[in-house]
Amino acid sequence: MSLIGAIEAGGTKFILAVSDEDFNILDRKVLNTTDGPSTLAQVTAYFDGFPDVAAIGVAAFGPIDLNPQSPTYGFVLDTPKPGWANFDFLGYLKNWRDIPYYWTTDVNGSAWAEYRHGANSEVASLLYLTVGTGVGAGIIVNGQLLSGFGHPEAGHMMVQKNPRDRYEGHCPFHHDRCLEGVASGPAMEDRWGMSAKELKDDHEAWMIEADYLAQAAMTYTTILRPDRIVFGGGVSHRDVLLPLVRQRFAELMNGYLATPVLDDYLVPVANGDDAGILGCFYLAKSAMTRA
Amino acid sequence: MSLIGAIEAGGTKFILAVSDEDFNILDRKVLNTTDGPSTLAQVTAYFDGFPDVAAIGVAAFGPIDLNPQSPTYGFVLDTPKPGWANFDFLGYLKNWRDIPYYWTTDVNGSAWAEYRHGANSEVASLLYLTVGTGVGAGIIVNGQLLSGFGHPEAGHMMVQKNPRDRYEGHCPFHHDRCLEGVASGPAMEDRWGMSAKELKDDHEAWMIEADYLAQAAMTYTTILRPDRIVFGGGVSHRDVLLPLVRQRFAELMNGYLATPVLDDYLVPVANGDDAGILGCFYLAKSAMTRA
């Protein structure tokens, strides 16, 4: 029986894992992310210990090139992170072991886990929104991860400034005009002088955060009409948040469009911290079948 | 050789047409829209004259039920239009002649024409935005019309109020908070006291309209990353508008995401007034193949 590999490649740490074909996790290792070549050398050294790994799913921090027609397919693109800009991540792996790889973004990896594994696997279409250091979305429609000219950067959609919010915004490109600029973890910390973790449940921060996430959910709903929107990432962990988002979403939508019952529509993650590597396993298996 | 039929079912008029399998239009008729049963009786009477029509594409005003699993699939849903709410449009046709039908929204019909026929047929993914009496979008990703829990109602995405705009908005649900509420033809007429056609090229109306359409294009871009956004509908006909939209889009995006060159990315319709029936023909042909 073949084994499957997972590389959840984050900007601060890499999680490597190996499973059997039924997605039972057999081994796992965490690395600190350094530069591209040094980190990948550690990655391949780890998988050298598992010669039966026959396909690997890679969910990488970005921006990355996902277009198979592009000459830089498989590369990390322009990033301020030292030793990663224009690094041929996928090419490095293929040179090391010529097996099928599924190459996608970190957000897409988690989105795919939510879509395929656990409580959300009953739905046909899904948007996974992560709200943490950044804000991003993985989108599944017609059974496929949505990708076009590039991968979604749905955290940079425009929002209306909450009238009680005086914060100038955290996005270096769009300031307070985009979702990430006003709703990411660093935006919350910068605005309130303490981290989201430190903010009490009755702090007005949560009403303002809920307004922005509800605006995002409304815009995603009108454009994509997904069967479900799943909230992940550090900020979304707070129990106080999702009920406020549902309430504000209902106010904003104002009865205009049919959606599933909101308790089943705007939901927390089902797979928690394992979502990233689970998504890699599922995607790796699909790459094996395809190859 | 079989013939193909098209029903472009609008709220004020129906356009019926017949083509050969190469999409050459052989005949065409326009009806005024009355109630559901009376209008459909005229539709079937027209196609009785073409017994060789072997498949029909229907692009209907909405809201309509597009979900094949739904008990009301093929129905016009809740609408204030007399004689249409809960009318089984597709069932009426199937009872009359049992051939393959492709059932979709009017906006999707035009979107499909832009995707398959003419200048835009080179791209892999496309968003067609109509800005007229209403604002709506048809979206093609992975070679398919995007649809989920229902069809997109992307005209109701949220926008930021332009700081120079004092208009209270035209959307009965979202007032000035959604795109349709501030950017539709009726919103322009209500705001300025004259129709979009009457507004001179140097009127500030066009700068404000361009701001809203650029905001929409930015949000669509970040979420969907389409290869092209095509602008149709009465308001988009004005030559002054698209250059302003491109300029404002570049300001808002602020270099954040790679897109195609803007002159090739934000473009006018290629098929003009024939888009609706052309889309019906193409979709009808796909239904023939599928059947």
Side-chain angles (χ1 to χ4, degrees):
Chain A
M1 197 180 183
S2 295
L3 301 178
I4 309 175
I7 303 173
E8 188 184 353
T12 54
K13 62 181 181 179
F14 269 50
I15 304 175
L16 314 175
V18 172
S19 82
D20 62 24
E21 288 196 41
D22 297 324
F23 312 117
N24 300 301
I25 300 176
L26 307 176
D27 196 72
R28 183 197 302 244
K29 181 173 186 170
V30 179
L31 305 175
N32 289 321
T33 308
T34 59
D35 64 289
S38 309
T39 311
L40 269 282
Q42 291 183 76
V43 168
T44 53
Y46 172 78
F47 285 108
D48 278 335
F50 300 94
D52 293 336
V53 164
I56 296 179
V58 187
F61 75 93
I64 62 174
D65 191 337
L66 284 189
N67 178 357
Q69 314 308 326
S70 161
T72 54
Y73 174 69
F75 281 52
V76 177
L77 298 173
D78 198 21
T79 169
K81 205 168 167 56
W84 286 98
N86 304 310
F87 174 64
D88 183 6
F89 192 128
L90 186 59
Y92 189 105
L93 293 174
K94 283 183 171 169
N95 279 338
W96 159 76
R97 190 184 288 176
D98 189 18
I99 54 175
Y101 293 90
Y102 196 107
W103 166 250
T104 195
T105 65
D106 46 3
V107 183
N108 277 350
S110 298
W112 195 255
E114 292 294 330
Y115 178 63
R116 288 297 305 279
H117 192 87
N120 300 315
S121 57
E122 75 227 36
V123 301
S125 60
L126 178 150
L127 183 142
Y128 166 82
L129 184 69
T130 177
V131 186
T133 309
V135 179
I139 299 164
I140 290 123
V141 287
N142 296 329
Q144 292 182 277
L145 283 163
L146 188 151
S147 191
F149 191 78
H151 52 80
E153 291 282 0
H156 292 267
M157 55 159 280
M158 301 198 78
V159 288
Q160 294 178 350
K161 193 73 178 275
N162 180 292
R164 298 175 61 180
D165 185 12
R166 297 280 166 272
Y167 178 54
E168 70 271 24
H170 197 266
C171 176
F173 294 90
H174 313 122
H175 312 288
D176 62 353
R177 303 189 69 121
C178 78
L179 179 64
E180 181 167 296
V182 293
S184 69
M188 292 188 84
E189 180 156 2
D190 198 23
R191 181 194 284 117
W192 302 111
M194 63 185 99
S195 74
K197 271 185 189 157
E198 295 167 298
L199 288 162
K200 292 216 167 64
D201 277 358
D202 60 357
H203 196 290
E204 71 171 320
W206 297 110
M207 292 292 284
I208 290 174
E209 185 72 4
D211 177 40
Y212 290 128
L213 297 182
Q215 289 186 38
M218 176 166 158
T219 287
Y220 298 145
T221 298
T222 57
I223 297 172
L224 297 162
R225 304 298 304 276
D227 289 327
R228 192 163 289 175
I229 297 178
V230 179
F231 291 79
V235 172
S236 305
H237 277 172
R238 277 295 282 273
D239 290 341
V240 65
L241 186 58
L242 265 185
L244 295 173
V245 173
R246 292 188 193 111
Q247 186 184 334
R248 184 65 182 140
F249 177 85
E251 288 168 13
L252 289 173
M253 189 64 90
N254 196 19
Y256 174 63
L257 275 184
T259 64
V261 178
L262 294 190
D263 284 351
D264 298 329
Y265 183 54
L266 306 175
V267 304
V269 289
N271 293 310
D273 292 340
D274 277 345
I277 59 170
L278 273 171
C280 290
F281 289 137
Y282 277 92
L283 290 166
K285 179 120 186 215
S286 77
M288 272 165 97
T289 320
R290 212 170 45 187
Chain B
M1 195 183 185
S2 296
L3 300 179
I4 308 176
I7 303 174
E8 188 184 353
T12 55
K13 63 182 181 177
F14 269 51
I15 304 175
L16 313 175
V18 172
S19 81
D20 61 25
E21 287 196 43
D22 296 325
F23 311 115
N24 299 302
I25 301 177
L26 306 176
D27 196 70
R28 182 195 306 243
K29 181 173 185 170
V30 180
L31 304 175
N32 290 320
T33 308
T34 59
D35 64 291
S38 309
T39 311
L40 269 283
Q42 291 181 74
V43 168
T44 54
Y46 172 78
F47 285 108
D48 278 335
F50 299 94
D52 293 338
V53 165
I56 296 179
V58 187
F61 74 92
I64 63 174
D65 191 337
L66 285 190
N67 178 357
Q69 313 309 325
S70 163
T72 53
Y73 175 68
F75 282 52
V76 178
L77 298 173
D78 198 22
T79 168
K81 205 167 168 59
W84 286 98
N86 304 310
F87 174 64
D88 184 5
F89 191 128
L90 185 60
Y92 190 105
L93 293 173
K94 284 182 171 169
N95 279 337
W96 158 77
R97 190 184 288 177
D98 189 18
I99 54 175
Y101 293 90
Y102 196 106
W103 167 248
T104 196
T105 65
D106 47 2
V107 183
N108 277 350
S110 298
W112 195 255
E114 292 295 330
Y115 178 62
R116 289 297 305 278
H117 192 89
N120 300 315
S121 57
E122 75 225 36
V123 301
S125 60
L126 176 150
L127 182 142
Y128 166 82
L129 184 69
T130 176
V131 187
T133 310
V135 179
I139 299 164
I140 290 122
V141 287
N142 296 330
Q144 293 183 277
L145 283 163
L146 187 151
S147 191
F149 191 78
H151 52 78
E153 291 282 358
H156 293 266
M157 56 160 278
M158 301 198 79
V159 288
Q160 293 177 351
K161 194 72 178 278
N162 181 292
R164 297 176 61 180
D165 185 12
R166 297 279 166 272
Y167 178 54
E168 72 270 23
H170 197 265
C171 175
F173 294 91
H174 314 122
H175 312 289
D176 61 353
R177 302 188 71 118
C178 78
L179 179 64
E180 181 168 296
V182 293
S184 69
M188 293 189 83
E189 181 155 2
D190 197 24
R191 180 193 287 114
W192 302 110
M194 65 183 98
S195 73
K197 272 187 189 157
E198 295 168 300
L199 288 162
K200 293 213 166 66
D201 277 359
D202 60 357
H203 195 290
E204 72 171 320
W206 297 110
M207 293 292 283
I208 289 174
E209 185 72 4
D211 177 39
Y212 290 127
L213 297 181
Q215 289 187 39
M218 175 166 159
T219 288
Y220 298 145
T221 298
T222 57
I223 298 173
L224 297 162
R225 305 296 305 275
D227 289 326
R228 191 163 291 175
I229 298 178
V230 180
F231 290 79
V235 172
S236 304
H237 278 171
R238 279 294 284 271
D239 290 340
V240 66
L241 186 58
L242 265 185
L244 295 174
V245 173
R246 291 189 193 110
Q247 186 184 334
R248 183 65 182 141
F249 176 86
E251 287 168 13
L252 290 174
M253 190 64 90
N254 197 18
Y256 174 62
L257 275 184
T259 63
V261 178
L262 294 191
D263 285 351
D264 298 329
Y265 183 55
L266 307 175
V267 304
V269 289
N271 294 309
D273 293 339
D274 278 345
I277 58 170
L278 273 171
C280 290
F281 289 137
Y282 277 91
L283 290 166
K285 179 119 185 216
S286 77
M288 272 165 95
T289 318
R290 211 171 45 186

